[in-house]
Amino acid sequence: MLESLSKGLADRVAERWTRVVILPAALFWLGGGLVWFLGSGQTVEAAVQTVTKQVTTWMVAGFLVVVLLSGLLARRLVDPALAMLTGRWHRSLDPLARLAAGRWSRRITEREARWQDLAAHARGWAEERELAALDLWLRGMPSDPARCLPTRLGNLLAAAERWPADKYGLEASQCWSRLWLVMPEEARKELIGARERLDGQITAWMWGVAFLVWTPWAWWAAPVGVAAAGVAYAGALRYAGALGDLQESAFDLYRGALYTHLRWPLPEDAATERETGRVVSAYLWRGSQDPLPLRVE
């Protein structure tokens, strides 16, 4: 699903390049300049005089070029950074990934058991509140603990990918690109906007981590960078949840259009929809030689 959103987002980067490309890079390099200034021991007046004497048009142009190129590089690295933060790591890290995913899997099992207990016997305001919190937490995790990824962000996005299959039998990996084409423009804009906000947090996380490079010149660069990366990661969790909700809503509202454009009869009732969805997903993935009942135009 994220691939379709990435392609749509690329069309909008040109519209908002100042905010999404230039501003974060400029803040990073200006932060580096602040580190240099504080470490140089100069007074503000002396620094202003030095800058006034040394800065030329070429230096300003060079700074802008560095800002632009580093900003564009950061945009290129958003998808790899997102893959890393979701726990889709290189095979050499498989033992670590399995260990981390196993911890999430055990948490799901424990909290699912607690949820079942509270759902059957919850009494009073405190237990009702705990039940609601557990329900929200479990919704943001894969329904099958075996599908867990090593990170919370990865599990949020993995859970969102499984919702259509769990509810309607429609596998997102097979159906999303087709559903994307039949959705109205406004729905696609909402989804692209949600992905843009998520990417913005991933970009901020990268710049926060990159800010650690100034630590040898100023000790405070480390806590600033760590704090910025932490805040950005928390924002990424929030926006990933919002993106997942929109993706689920797209299947809720427009799966009928998907069936119609595929010339496939709509499911007769909710009880049989999952099985119909599984058949459609398999049909889209491999086709079929069975005499399937396609709808006549």
Side-chain angles (χ1 to χ4, degrees):
M1 289 190 283
L2 294 180
E3 289 78 6
S4 297
L5 294 175
S6 292
K7 292 175 183 176
L9 179 58
D11 297 333
R12 291 181 53 165
V13 169
E15 302 174 14
R16 306 187 180 188
W17 66 276
T18 300
R19 179 167 60 84
V20 302
V21 175
I22 298 297
L23 182 58
L27 290 175
F28 171 80
W29 291 109
L30 288 173
L34 180 62
V35 168
W36 168 82
F37 166 69
L38 294 177
S40 68
Q42 297 186 66
T43 64
V44 175
E45 294 176 353
V48 170
Q49 290 177 358
T50 301
V51 169
T52 303
K53 292 177 181 178
Q54 295 182 356
V55 170
T56 66
T57 302
W58 289 107
M59 292 179 66
V60 173
F63 173 76
L64 293 176
V65 169
V66 169
V67 167
L68 177 60
L69 292 179
S70 59
L72 292 174
L73 176 62
R75 291 300 301 178
R76 284 279 191 175
L77 294 176
V78 166
D79 285 343
L82 180 59
M84 185 189 72
L85 289 173
T86 55
R88 302 181 189 278
W89 302 333
H90 189 269
R91 284 178 295 178
S92 61
L93 297 176
D94 278 354
L96 179 60
R98 285 194 295 269
L99 180 63
R103 293 184 62 188
W104 286 111
S105 178
R106 288 190 293 275
R107 284 190 199 177
I108 291 175
T109 302
E110 293 168 359
R111 297 190 182 189
E112 176 69 28
R114 177 59 177 165
W115 184 91
Q116 295 286 355
D117 182 59
L118 286 173
H121 307 102
R123 295 291 186 275
W125 176 81
E127 290 188 342
E128 291 288 350
R129 183 178 180 183
E130 183 184 359
L131 178 64
L134 284 171
D135 196 36
L136 183 62
W137 188 88
L138 288 168
R139 178 171 168 75
M141 301 297 291
S143 54
D144 180 2
R147 293 179 177 271
C148 280
L149 291 174
T151 69
R152 176 63 172 149
L153 180 60
N155 286 319
L156 268 173
L157 294 173
E161 289 192 5
R162 291 304 304 167
W163 290 339
D166 292 342
K167 291 172 69 175
Y168 307 120
L170 295 170
E171 292 289 343
S173 57
Q174 281 95 51
C175 300
W176 179 254
S177 59
R178 284 86 172 179
L179 185 69
W180 179 260
L181 294 175
V182 302
M183 279 191 288
E185 184 64 24
E186 286 302 315
R188 290 201 294 264
K189 285 181 179 179
E190 287 292 330
L191 283 158
I192 291 172
R195 176 62 198 270
E196 183 181 44
R197 289 186 285 275
L198 173 60
D199 282 1
Q201 296 301 309
I202 301 300
T203 303
W205 178 87
M206 288 191 296
W207 284 118
V209 172
F211 202 78
L212 297 177
V213 76
W214 306 123
T215 304
W217 292 275
W219 66 267
W220 53 265
V224 169
V226 170
V231 170
Y233 186 76
L237 292 177
R238 182 170 66 257
Y239 289 125
L243 177 60
D245 287 339
L246 284 174
Q247 290 170 343
E248 180 188 18
S249 298
F251 278 93
D252 291 340
L253 298 177
Y254 304 117
R255 70 188 187 283
L258 176 66
Y259 279 107
T260 299
H261 281 79
L262 291 174
R263 299 191 301 123
W264 202 279
L266 295 175
E268 295 182 0
D269 52 54
T272 61
E273 183 165 6
R274 286 182 188 169
E275 182 57 34
T276 303
R278 294 188 188 100
V279 174
V280 170
S281 297
Y283 173 69
L284 291 175
W285 188 243
R286 293 186 177 88
S288 176
Q289 295 181 343
D290 296 331
L292 299 171
L294 298 181
R295 185 176 62 84
V296 178
E297 292 288 349

